[in-house]
Amino acid sequence: NSFCIRMQKQDTGLGKRRGPHHIKKGEKDMNILKLKNPIKINGREVAELNYDENEITAEAFIDAECRKFAEGRKKGGLTAAAIELDYSMQLQLGFAAILAVNPAIDYNDLLRIKGADLIAVSRIGRNFTMPSASEEEPMDSEASRSENV
């Protein structure tokens, strides 16, 4: 994908969020991923990672897709036709949800996640791409009529 190649050549800092780190999301605590296999980040062992899939921006989404394509090309892998079946993309989106609220963590730190923790990160991405029926907002009939005009 030529767009991804252009993005990689630019020093955009994608995957590293700049800005304040917040622990609260409104009035409730942020989601926490408890790692079964702690990882080293900046010289310290980390057993929990905050994440928020609602903080995944368009830029982070595109970056996740570019990383997925780049990793797939290196490994000679194929890509899934639908995002709901694309496990690599789900993993990358899970990473994006973690990076979105952890500015001190680098993408390469997350590559040390292993075992069942990888599946847990993938679930974050899967839940982002496939919300349950109760989470999906119903279409407002008046709004949908005005969009079709």
Side-chain angles (χ1 to χ4, degrees), residues 17 48 60 74 80 112 140-141:
R17 174 147 171 143
E48 294 182 347
K74 282 195 287 187
R112 290 191 285 278
D140 178 21
S141 60

Side-chain angles (χ1 to χ4, degrees), residues 60-80:
F61 191 94
I62 292 167
D63 186 44
E65 188 169 36
C66 289
R67 288 182 192 276
K68 178 201 70 147
F69 280 124
E71 291 300 317
R73 258 193 314 275
K74 282 195 287 187
K75 308 286 186 214
L78 300 172
T79 59

Side-chain angles (χ1 to χ4, degrees), residues 103-120:
I105 295 178
D106 183 73
Y107 174 80
N108 292 316
D109 293 325
L110 299 180
L111 294 178
R112 290 191 285 278
I113 294 175
K114 62 183 179 181
D117 296 330
L118 279 175
I119 302 303

